Amino acid sequence: MAMEKLISVLFSKFILLLLFLDVTNACGLQLGFYSGTCPNAEQIAYAVLYKYISRDPTLAPSLLRMHFHDCFVRGYKAEKEAFPNLSLRGFHVIDAVKSELEKKCPGVVSCADILALVARDAVFMIGGPSWDVPTGRRDGRVSIDTDALEQLPSFTANITELIKDFSAKGLSVKDLVVLSGGHTIGIGHCSSISDRLYNFTGKGDTDPSLDPKYASALKEKCKLGGDNLKTVEMDPGSFRTFDEGYYSNVAKRRGLLRSDAALLDDVQTRTYVQLQSVTHGWTFAQDFGASMIKMGSVGVLTGNQGEIRKRCAFVN
């Protein structure tokens, strides 16, 4: 009787395990997808990327952002000309990785997977966390510039709009605040914050949510009527290092963009910001990897869907 009960319990746990595996692989991605068709795919991508990042670490935030944009919309070529994507850099890096993989494993590794792997490795190369990237994505056959305009979260969005945009992609409020932490690296343009500094409500005023000292410092760099292409650091003092400094700045009302400041307007996002600020990023690295994996599964094409592009900028 005891043995039958034990067998029954083990069988139940086995069924639960199968259900769990089915859920985790529901999107069709898996670790080591290329182990049989291109065993060294990840190592090849890493080696090519390292040549670029070692010479220019500032490419890392652009490559991370590129993966983010790719997850929220569908294509590549037409979307590159969409307004939110005009400031993206690093397409040549993706093309270089693709070219090398095509030499070793022609027609096997998708551009979508390359973006996911490069984003992970770029973050790691500048001191950030690493995470396992499930692969098996296929490339889309559709690329429309208006998709980027309509689907990418805006840097001027308030917290309600941000939560709605992320929810539409199956991402939680926690994913929103965690992935916002990617702003710990990179730069922003004066044009993106001009209204916050000089004309927030149309009356020549400054955004009251900005720390006054920080606003004054920004005005020194971004003069009224000055060069809108001039840049400022997203995370002053450590914008080239992937760390928790972003949350410390946001907690002090020193988030550069409206969308950064908005994280203080919701109890869940505000609590997370304060936790990472006080604990010096206690869970940030782990959380970021988990949310990146989740984001990397948004709207993926697998199996016989889509295609494997020969050149990332063009549908076959």
Side-chain angles (χ1 to χ4, degrees):
M1 187 71 176
M3 180 59 71
E4 291 177 354
K5 186 176 181 180
L6 176 61
I7 291 174
S8 177
V9 170
L10 290 174
F11 181 76
S12 297
K13 290 186 175 181
F14 178 67
I15 294 299
L16 287 172
L17 176 62
L18 289 179
L19 288 172
F20 174 75
L21 289 174
D22 183 60
V23 170
T24 57
N25 293 321
C27 64
L29 304 180
Q30 64 185 67
L31 296 176
F33 179 82
Y34 297 109
S35 59
T37 54
C38 191
N40 297 318
E42 294 195 26
Q43 293 90 330
I44 293 170
Y46 187 97
V48 174
L49 175 65
Y50 182 77
K51 294 178 182 178
Y52 288 91
I53 297 296
S54 61
R55 293 196 300 261
D56 184 6
T58 66
L59 282 168
S62 291
L63 294 167
L64 173 61
R65 185 174 169 223
M66 194 184 299
H67 178 47
F68 187 101
H69 284 211
D70 188 62
C71 290
F72 268 68
V73 288
R74 294 181 293 177
Y76 195 85
K77 174 59 179 171
E79 286 161 13
K80 285 171 67 176
E81 280 83 48
F83 179 75
N85 294 331
L86 293 178
S87 60
L88 287 177
R89 298 170 56 230
F91 291 107
H92 64 294
V93 179
I94 302 301
D95 290 338
V97 174
K98 176 64 173 175
S99 177
E100 190 63 25
L101 283 168
E102 283 296 304
K103 292 177 186 176
K104 303 292 174 59
C105 314
V108 173
V109 183
S110 69
C111 298
D113 273 342
I114 290 172
L115 285 173
L117 293 169
V118 163
R120 185 266 313 271
D121 293 342
V123 167
F124 178 72
M125 288 177 190
I126 58 169
S130 185
W131 55 91
D132 293 328
V133 175
T135 46
R137 297 167 185 79
R138 304 268 291 179
D139 297 319
R141 294 195 179 100
V142 177
S143 184
I144 305 172
D145 59 354
T146 53
D147 282 354
L149 290 168
E150 295 169 358
Q151 298 182 38
L152 286 172
S154 171
F155 64 86
T156 64
N158 60 40
I159 193 63
T160 301
E161 294 166 335
L162 290 170
I163 291 174
K164 181 181 178 181
D165 289 340
F166 274 70
S167 178
K169 299 298 180 180
L171 298 172
S172 68
V173 176
K174 181 178 180 180
D175 293 320
L176 160 61
V177 66
V178 170
L179 293 172
S180 294
H183 283 175
T184 186
I185 51 177
I187 56 176
H189 290 87
C190 287
S191 58
S192 299
I193 59 171
S194 179
D195 64 328
R196 293 194 77 195
L197 298 178
Y198 298 109
N199 199 28
F200 186 64
T201 64
K203 299 178 181 179
D205 55 341
T206 300
D207 184 350
S209 71
L210 269 175
D211 169 64
K213 290 184 178 179
Y214 182 50
S216 295
L218 289 175
K219 288 178 179 179
E220 287 297 315
K221 297 179 179 179
C222 299
K223 303 290 187 181
L224 179 61
D227 182 5
N228 279 334
L229 294 180
K230 190 173 181 180
T231 60
V232 288
E233 300 171 1
M234 293 292 294
D235 182 4
S238 63
F239 77 107
R240 296 190 181 191
T241 305
F242 201 96
D243 56 26
E244 80 289 347
Y246 168 80
Y247 294 109
S248 297
N249 284 323
V250 172
K252 296 174 184 175
R253 298 192 297 134
R254 295 178 180 177
L256 184 67
L257 305 175
R258 286 196 199 184
S259 57
D260 298 319
L263 297 180
L264 296 179
D265 296 334
D266 172 83
V267 63
Q268 188 174 344
T269 54
R270 181 172 64 251
T271 299
Y272 188 88
V273 166
Q274 293 170 340
L275 172 67
Q276 301 310 322
S277 175
V278 171
T279 64
H280 303 289
W282 180 39
T283 64
F284 176 45
Q286 179 180 345
D287 292 342
F288 192 78
S291 288
M292 285 295 291
I293 292 171
K294 189 174 176 181
M295 185 187 73
S297 299
V298 170
V300 295
L301 302 177
T302 58
N304 294 321
Q305 299 172 315
E307 64 184 16
I308 303 297
R309 293 188 184 183
K310 296 176 182 177
R311 296 175 60 191
C312 291
F314 302 96
V315 174
N316 289 346

